[in-house]
Amino acid sequence: MLLNKKLVLLLCWLNVTSAFAQKHNALYAEGLGTGLTGTINYDFRFKDDIITGNFKDALGLRFGVGLSPKYIYDVSVAMHPVATGGTKPLVLLGVNTFQDLSYCKCAGDDIEFGANLLYAPKNSIADKWGTFKQTDRFIPSINIGYRRQKDEYNGIVLRLCYNPYFLDGKLHQWLGVSVGYHFN
């Protein structure tokens, strides 16, 4: 039953992305960043901006998955969560846009802005870095940073972002580095 629901959700997501995503896709691995430990991400533009005609001005969607070590709170070992050797899945959904750094006359050098929501299940990295609540969590974050992605060509994507996230009512400072491939 659960597998059927997941399959239906996946097919719906693929249908929506194929309906809106005409070109300018990116697939990249991010270390640290909005997924906290690291994620594999798929990023696409909905369509070119209707005013400027530029894909960079258009709103984009980001979907990522990652793994977190599994933690338990074991008072016999320590007064804090300890890793158990297992893993927990992390799921990331975000929106973003990026703008040309045209003043430097470097095609493909951009500044990226985004807002994200990370799903972290109980006993994941969120319980290690936040208050150990043993509950599923949704962790909001933003990203502001440099993105290297050529306009018209397939090629390498490089990202370096500042990724503050909000956990247990506190703002945590964080960075992320990404490497991947851009394709039309």
Side-chain angles (χ1 to χ4, degrees), residues 30-39 62 141 161 163 165 174-177:
E30 181 177 44
L32 304 177
T34 53
L36 303 182
T37 58
T39 53
R62 171 185 181 182
S141 67
C161 291
N163 303 107
Y165 64 94
W174 204 239
L175 293 174
V177 178

Side-chain angles (χ1 to χ4, degrees), residues 53-137:
N54 187 345
F55 81 94
K56 291 182 180 182
D57 298 331
L59 193 62
L61 184 67
R62 171 185 181 182
F63 177 74
V65 292
L67 292 175
S68 163
K70 183 178 178 182
Y71 290 92
I72 59 168
Y73 193 80
D74 187 351
V75 292
S76 67
V77 176
M79 295 302 291
H80 56 80
V82 293
T84 64
T87 58
K88 298 294 262 185
L90 302 171
V91 179
L92 175 70
L93 186 63
V95 293
N96 62 23
T97 187
F98 39 105
Q99 302 296 317
D100 237 347
L101 293 174
S102 55
Y103 65 85
C104 72
K105 306 285 187 239
C106 303
D109 290 320
D110 308 303
I111 187 149
E112 179 180 330
F113 303 96
N116 311 283
L117 193 61
L118 176 69
Y119 167 72
K122 67 180 180 179
N123 299 329
S124 68
I125 195 75
D127 280 332
K128 168 99 170 129
W129 291 346
T131 305
F132 196 76
K133 295 181 179 179
Q134 288 189 303
T135 61
D136 295 353
R137 299 180 194 214

Side-chain angles (χ1 to χ4, degrees), residues 22-55:
Q22 299 173 358
K23 55 185 175 178
H24 305 295
N25 304 283
L27 187 63
Y28 53 89
E30 181 177 44
L32 304 177
T34 53
L36 303 182
T37 58
T39 53
I40 301 294
N41 299 275
Y42 172 66
D43 182 317
F44 67 90
R45 306 293 100 197
F46 282 105
K47 59 182 180 178
D48 291 349
D49 186 74
I50 57 174
I51 296 171
T52 66
N54 187 345
F55 81 94

Side-chain angles (χ1 to χ4, degrees), residues 140-151:
S141 67
I142 61 172
N143 57 290
I144 302 168
Y146 171 78
R147 181 173 180 140
R148 174 81 173 161
Q149 177 174 321
K150 293 287 189 180
D151 296 355

